[in-house]
């Protein structure tokens, strides 16, 4: 009971003061709140003592801890710390800065991706790991949060790798039998939020990046303890349209969750102008969108000497319509009809859709 009272006062007072928007000066309002707490909370403890419900030692301990909570709560409410550091802008033509401030504190970034390349070499997983390695080399403290069977944290290759698991959604809120995909996504998003709170409390965080896919960062973005960037990949509504998925209430709700995540994001980044235009037309992100093309590790790239006599075209991606393979296959005969000095290489796994 003592700890409950202390925590309540420690947190309730600063929240009340920070949220206060009335005409009375904040210092005077702090006195009013403190007097009310003494009159209501500490008086209860006194009555418990006089009524024989608690002993003298417990009474003195609770009253002392209550006073500590009041003074600390007032102090935190009148002089709150910023939730995150201010990140100054840099000129558009500036080189990438090393993300270390004057105190030697690295910018702390958490990247969300349900899968990583060692388990599922998909686009989001590959992009996330490449970005993590790049940010690490630039001086960031990098955390990568993916799906797992338990709550783990492991430091390897200069990066913190964490796992989160699902937290159940109350059946009274949403029925898993009626909305199986939505409940799955919400359950994992709840788990992500819980793990992010753990990471923030242990290491501190300056920014979170979440993919729009499956709305992983939804609860964290709504809570907004840390600035959140949504990295735009193929949106659910467009995937459903391209793949010919039948629309139902579950799929529609998944699309609405994606919209909600993007609405609460501080920034929406995308790899192409076309993708950002699609996102903006559907969700209305406005000035929040920013083009960040996919990077290439030039130190790893080894360009072979081109064949002056022939041209070579390479396609890499899943073999499904939304990746554009059908357009390439339609174009190949037209290209070869005008020149046979062209080679086409196609690398990727079969998307296993009905139309091939």
């Amino acid at each position: 009971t003592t700890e409950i009272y202390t925590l309540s006062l420690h947190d309730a007072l600063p929240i009340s003061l920070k949220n206060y928007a009335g005409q009375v000066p904040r210092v005077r309002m702090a006195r009013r709140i403190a007097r009310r707490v003494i009159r209501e909370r500490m008086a209860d403890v006194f009555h418990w003592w006089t009524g024989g419900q608690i002993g003298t030692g417990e009474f003195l301990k609770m009253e002392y801890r209550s006073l500590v909570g009041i003074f600390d709560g007032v102090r935190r409410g009148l002089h709150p710390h910023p939730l995150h550091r201010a990140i100054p802008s840099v000129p558009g033509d500036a080189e990438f800065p090393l993300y270390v401030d004057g105190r030697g504190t690295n910018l702390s970034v958490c990247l969300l991706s349900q899968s990583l390349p060692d388990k599922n070499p998909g686009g989001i997983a590959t992009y996330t790991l490449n970005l993590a390695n790049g940010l690490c080399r630039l001086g960031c403290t990098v955390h990568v949060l993916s799906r797992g069977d338990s709550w783990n944290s492991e430091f390897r290759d200069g990066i913190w790798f964490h796992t989160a698991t699902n937290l159940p959604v109350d059946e009274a809120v949403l029925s898993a039998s009626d909305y199986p995909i939505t409940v799955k996504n919400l359950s994992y998003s709840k788990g992500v939020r819980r793990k992010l709170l753990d990471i923030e409390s242990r290491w501190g965080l300056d920014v979170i990046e979440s993919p729009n896919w499956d709305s992983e960062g939804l609860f964290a973005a709504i809570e907004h303890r840390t600035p959140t960037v949504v990295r735009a990949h193929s949106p659910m509504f467009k995937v459903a349209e391209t793949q010919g998925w039948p629309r139902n209430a579950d799929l529609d709700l998944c699309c609405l969750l994606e919209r909600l995540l993007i609405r609460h994001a501080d920034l929406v980044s995308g790899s192409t102008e076309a993708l950002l235009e699609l996102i903006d037309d559907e969700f209305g992100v406005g000035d929040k969108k920013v083009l960040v093309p996919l990077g290439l590790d030039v130190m790893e790239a080894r360009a072979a000497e081109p064949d002056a006599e022939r041209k070579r075209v390479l396609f890499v991606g899943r073999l499904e319509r939304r990746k554009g393979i059908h357009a390439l296959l339609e174009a190949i005969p037209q290209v070869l009809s005008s020149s046979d000095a062209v080679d086409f290489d196609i690398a990727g796994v079969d998307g296993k859709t009905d139309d091939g």
Side-chain angles (χ1 to χ4, degrees):
T1 305
T2 303
E3 296 303 320
I4 292 174
Y5 257 68
T6 303
L7 290 173
S8 175
L9 296 171
H10 187 272
D11 291 334
L13 277 165
I15 290 173
S16 298
L17 287 171
K18 283 189 285 186
N19 291 341
Y20 174 68
Q23 300 299 316
V24 178
R26 292 168 66 83
V27 174
R28 188 185 303 173
M29 179 53 62
R31 289 199 296 266
R32 289 185 182 180
I33 295 174
R35 282 198 298 268
R36 188 172 73 240
V37 169
I38 292 172
R39 186 169 59 249
E40 297 175 1
R41 303 283 184 89
M42 297 182 70
D44 287 342
V45 178
F46 178 76
H47 291 311
W48 296 342
W49 175 55
T50 57
Q53 295 173 272
I54 59 175
T56 300
E58 186 71 8
F59 164 71
L60 293 175
K61 182 180 178 181
M62 292 181 70
E63 294 288 60
Y64 169 75
R65 297 290 291 173
S66 295
L67 287 172
V68 170
I70 290 172
F71 285 117
D72 189 58
V74 169
R75 177 186 60 81
R76 291 174 58 217
L78 293 177
H79 305 285
H81 292 293
L83 288 177
H84 50 80
R85 80 174 78 186
I87 302 176
S89 59
V90 297
D93 58 350
E95 295 183 358
F96 255 85
L98 291 177
Y99 288 109
V100 182
D101 61 23
R103 298 167 297 172
T105 305
N106 297 37
L107 187 78
S108 184
V109 181
C110 187
L111 308 176
L112 309 184
S113 175
Q114 292 189 58
S115 299
L116 293 177
D118 59 336
K119 295 182 179 178
N120 181 10
I124 296 177
T126 303
Y127 156 80
T128 300
L129 189 59
N130 287 341
L131 179 60
N133 285 316
L135 291 175
C136 182
R137 288 195 295 269
L138 287 169
C140 293
T141 299
V142 182
H143 303 267
V144 176
L145 178 53
S146 59
R147 183 188 291 274
D149 298 325
S150 59
W151 310 89
N152 290 326
S153 297
E154 178 186 0
F155 187 73
R156 63 178 187 270
D157 301 326
I159 298 171
W160 281 101
F161 289 90
H162 310 273
T163 55
T165 188
N166 289 8
L167 289 178
V169 174
D170 194 328
E171 187 74 14
V173 175
L174 203 63
S175 170
S177 59
D178 295 331
Y179 300 93
I181 301 175
T182 303
V183 169
K184 174 184 70 70
N185 292 348
L186 287 176
S187 298
Y188 182 61
S189 183
K190 283 184 66 178
V192 166
R193 172 188 170 273
R194 173 175 165 179
K195 188 61 181 181
L196 284 171
L197 291 174
D198 174 57
I199 295 170
E200 183 180 20
S201 66
R202 295 165 65 183
W203 291 278
L205 283 177
D206 292 307
V207 64
I208 298 166
E209 182 182 276
S210 167
N212 59 304
W213 191 251
D214 283 350
S215 305
E216 293 180 45
L218 176 61
F219 284 111
I222 292 175
E223 189 175 37
H224 202 259
R225 295 175 63 92
T226 305
T228 301
V229 176
V230 169
R231 178 64 172 181
H233 304 273
S234 300
M236 178 69 76
F237 78 90
K238 194 63 178 179
V239 174
E241 175 188 313
T242 305
Q243 300 296 100
W245 294 347
R247 296 300 291 260
N248 55 38
D250 192 18
L251 184 58
D252 288 343
L253 192 51
C254 286
C255 294
L256 287 174
L257 293 183
E258 194 173 67
R259 178 186 296 273
L260 190 61
L261 169 62
I262 290 174
R263 193 181 87 187
H264 283 275
D266 296 276
L267 203 68
V268 178
S269 72
S271 59
T272 67
E273 293 282 7
L275 175 60
L276 288 174
E277 183 179 345
L278 176 67
I279 294 289
D280 194 17
D281 288 344
E282 180 70 17
F283 302 118
V285 296
D287 294 337
K288 292 199 302 184
K289 65 179 184 293
V290 59
L291 177 66
V292 182
L294 295 173
L296 173 66
D297 190 339
V298 293
M299 298 302 293
E300 294 293 330
R302 296 291 184 268
E305 289 295 327
D307 187 338
E309 301 297 326
R310 302 187 65 81
K311 301 295 183 183
R312 193 172 188 181
V313 179
L314 172 65
F315 175 93
V316 180
R318 285 196 303 276
L319 307 184
E320 57 185 55
R321 290 185 64 86
R322 70 188 181 98
K323 298 300 182 181
I325 183 62
H326 64 292
L328 177 62
L329 294 176
E330 292 171 0
I332 289 176
Q334 301 177 43
V335 173
L336 294 179
S337 66
S338 61
S339 172
D340 59 359
V342 183
D343 297 318
F344 291 89
D345 294 293
I346 297 176
V349 296
D350 189 349
K352 297 180 181 179
T353 55
D354 293 337
D355 60 1

